[in-house]
Amino acid sequence: MRTTALRAGLAAAVLTGLTAFAVPATAQAAEPNGARTSEPATTAAAASAADGNFYAYEFVGLMGGYCAWAGDDANWSTCSPRGGIRNQASSVENRGFPGAYEDVLVYWDNADDAGGWDGARACVQNGWSYGHLYAYEFPANGAGGGEKMENNISAHRWVHSCTEDPL
């Protein structure tokens, strides 16, 4: 009987010790490039469960009116359910299904046309969200490179993979 109580006590101590080490590792969000951070308001974080859509929200923290797409959109002037979010998105989320065409390229506004895929672009990898786009800039890979992403996205396209992480 004394041996059973001793074993139970040791098992509880081991589980408590393992839990203490596991919690801090899961409390931090990882950026797409693998860097770890504990600042979720300004960093990339894992998105919600996959449903096959890409989301753009009018407010930070994936809040407010939003648009959802299962396919490409060359002009965010019209979308559902919000009606349009061209150059008004403050946060985005990729809930696409893993596999072919799982990542999304978002494009800087090109004011000389009605939309399209010809400005600077940044990748939103599968399963990732950016809760505060003001903290990110488009890479220098086209017109609009170096501009803040918040309120500057006008289009998106699903791609097999992408590496143009926001700066």
Side-chain angles (χ1 to χ4, degrees), residues 41-88:
T42 59
T43 59
S48 300
D51 65 5
N53 290 313
F54 179 71
Y55 293 84
Y57 298 85
E58 67 179 318
F59 299 131
V60 298
L62 311 175
M63 304 287 288
Y66 69 94
C67 291
W69 301 269
D72 300 343
D73 190 340
N75 186 345
W76 283 11
S77 292
T78 60
C79 58
S80 181
R82 186 174 184 269
I85 199 161
R86 181 181 167 100
N87 299 325
Q88 298 173 24

Side-chain angles (χ1 to χ4, degrees), residues 9-44:
L10 285 172
V14 167
L15 286 175
T16 301
L18 289 175
T19 302
F21 288 109
V23 171
T26 59
Q28 295 181 339
E31 294 222 300
N33 65 8
R36 297 243 178 231
T37 179
S38 59
E39 195 66 49
T42 59
T43 59

Side-chain angles (χ1 to χ4, degrees), residues 3-160:
T3 304
T4 304
L6 182 60
R7 285 184 187 156
L10 285 172
V14 167
L15 286 175
T16 301
L18 289 175
T19 302
F21 288 109
V23 171
T26 59
Q28 295 181 339
E31 294 222 300
N33 65 8
R36 297 243 178 231
T37 179
S38 59
E39 195 66 49
T42 59
T43 59
S48 300
D51 65 5
N53 290 313
F54 179 71
Y55 293 84
Y57 298 85
E58 67 179 318
F59 299 131
V60 298
L62 311 175
M63 304 287 288
Y66 69 94
C67 291
W69 301 269
D72 300 343
D73 190 340
N75 186 345
W76 283 11
S77 292
T78 60
C79 58
S80 181
R82 186 174 184 269
I85 199 161
R86 181 181 167 100
N87 299 325
Q88 298 173 24
S90 293
S91 54
V92 294
E93 182 175 34
N94 181 348
R95 291 194 213 169
F97 296 118
Y101 293 97
E102 68 179 7
D103 294 340
V104 174
L105 283 173
V106 294
Y107 291 83
W108 177 78
D109 175 37
N110 187 351
D112 66 352
D113 64 15
W117 300 305
D118 53 359
R121 65 202 171 278
C123 183
V124 181
Q125 295 179 356
N126 182 260
W128 287 96
S129 67
Y130 289 88
H132 194 244
L133 289 172
Y134 185 78
Y136 295 93
E137 296 177 354
F138 281 99
N141 55 14
E147 296 286 330
K148 294 285 184 189
M149 289 179 64
E150 184 174 44
N151 298 325
N152 273 324
I153 301 173
S154 64
H156 78 276
R157 172 182 356 207
W158 291 88
V159 295
H160 284 294

